[in-house]
Amino acid sequence: MTVTELRVEVGQRPPRSHAPLARVAQHTLVVAAFLVLWQVASGRWVDPLLITDPISVGKQLWEWIEDGRLVFHLSFTLQALLIGFVAGSVAAFLLAVVFTELPRLGRFAETYIIAFNAIPNIALVPIFIVWFGFGIATKILMAYLTASFIVFIAAFQGLRNTDARYLELARILEASRWQVLVKIRLWAALPFLASAFKMALPKTALAVVIAEFLGSNRGVGYLVVRASNLLDIPALFAAVVVLTALVQVLSLVAAFVEARLLRWIPKEKR
């Protein structure tokens, strides 16, 4: 018996692995090396008007932080993202429940929903701008559509593909439709919903930013377009850094939520 197994058997926690710290250190070294190489290359091997340099990008980011522009534009994007994502997810889940309880209607409508989903969202932005203007409504609607399609497909598949053995057991026990939905179907669909959340959150953020590209005077997408129009390369790279960081943070949040929702499922079965 190893020391670790002995500690587990007597109730002591095994020593913590240093693997996460090692990975953080490795990623930090890679990023640092990239930034140093970028700084050296700018002005020596590559025209700085094309790729600028990390110091100039950092100065631009700090300027946006100091004058409040970063918080202002980021809050606009996040507001549209959260409202559209929550509304779209809730509506999609409720629609999936209705179609699950009314299977004939679900099979009939699913074809049209999938066909509508085939339309590129970016093609709808000009139409929404004509209908709702350049304000936040267009961005919320883009977020709503992006999140609702992903969540609906996942929820509908999860609710509909519940293990038949559990449904038969519920029928034998004379469970009500509400009890079957809450205690059986919802739990069966939870892995699908967690995966959909993980996929939908970053994609919804990108959909909002794309809408800001095409028509907005606020938001992270507006920062990118403005810098591009003015040929302000440091501001353009700074805006791209903000967008990349936003998507990365949202991906980490979605992964954390997924892990919390599925903590009752062994990792090897997820």
Side-chain angles (χ1 to χ4, degrees):
M1 179 180 292
T2 64
V3 175
T4 301
E5 291 172 340
L6 180 60
R7 287 180 175 176
V8 172
E9 188 160 330
V10 298
Q12 297 182 11
R13 292 184 177 179
R16 292 184 177 180
S17 172
H18 296 288
L21 293 178
R23 285 196 295 269
V24 170
Q26 291 171 355
H27 288 304
T28 301
L29 289 175
V30 170
V31 173
F34 171 76
L35 293 177
V36 170
L37 180 61
W38 181 9
Q39 184 67 40
V40 172
S42 179
R44 290 179 174 84
W45 305 326
V46 184
D47 189 339
L49 293 178
L50 297 178
I51 66 167
T52 188
D53 60 84
I55 294 178
S56 299
V57 173
K59 289 180 179 178
Q60 181 64 75
L61 285 171
W62 182 250
E63 180 182 332
W64 285 349
I65 293 173
E66 278 193 320
D67 61 21
R69 269 184 291 176
L70 181 59
V71 174
F72 173 78
H73 290 288
L74 195 57
S75 63
F76 180 81
T77 300
L78 289 175
Q79 182 182 2
L81 164 66
L82 293 177
I83 295 175
F85 181 81
V86 172
S89 299
V90 172
F93 178 76
L94 294 177
L95 186 62
V97 170
V98 172
F99 285 172
T100 301
E101 295 298 321
L102 303 173
R104 290 186 178 179
L105 176 62
R107 286 191 295 270
F108 177 80
E110 185 181 16
T111 303
Y112 296 97
I113 292 175
I114 293 176
F116 188 72
N117 187 33
I119 301 174
N121 285 354
I122 191 173
L124 299 175
V125 175
I127 299 175
F128 295 157
I129 290 176
V130 172
W131 290 350
F132 304 106
F134 293 98
I136 196 173
T138 297
K139 289 71 183 175
I140 292 176
L141 191 54
M142 282 293 293
Y144 177 93
L145 290 177
T146 303
S148 61
F149 282 130
I150 297 175
V151 173
F152 169 77
I153 293 173
F156 190 39
Q157 291 298 322
L159 293 170
R160 187 171 58 177
N161 294 332
T162 304
D163 194 325
R165 295 175 298 175
Y166 298 140
L167 297 178
E168 179 63 20
L169 178 61
R171 188 188 65 81
I172 293 173
L173 296 176
E174 298 182 349
S176 65
R177 300 180 74 171
W178 173 254
Q179 289 173 326
V180 172
L181 173 64
V182 173
K183 296 185 178 181
I184 298 179
R185 290 192 183 275
L186 180 59
W187 286 95
L190 198 56
F192 293 83
L193 291 172
S195 298
F197 180 81
K198 186 178 180 179
M199 182 186 302
L201 191 55
K203 285 185 176 294
T204 303
L206 292 176
V208 172
V209 172
I210 289 174
E212 292 171 348
F213 283 166
L214 300 179
S216 182
N217 59 357
R218 290 173 289 176
V220 177
Y222 167 74
L223 289 178
V224 176
V225 173
R226 183 177 184 277
S228 177
N229 292 338
L230 297 176
L231 297 180
D232 188 347
I233 304 303
L236 179 59
F237 273 74
V240 171
V241 169
V242 172
L243 176 58
T244 303
L246 173 62
V247 173
Q248 184 63 31
V249 168
L250 292 175
S251 298
L252 292 175
V253 170
F256 173 78
V257 172
E258 181 189 37
R260 296 293 294 178
L261 288 176
L262 302 182
R263 59 182 178 178
W264 53 279
I265 302 177
K267 291 185 178 180
E268 60 273 11
K269 294 184 179 181
R270 294 180 187 175

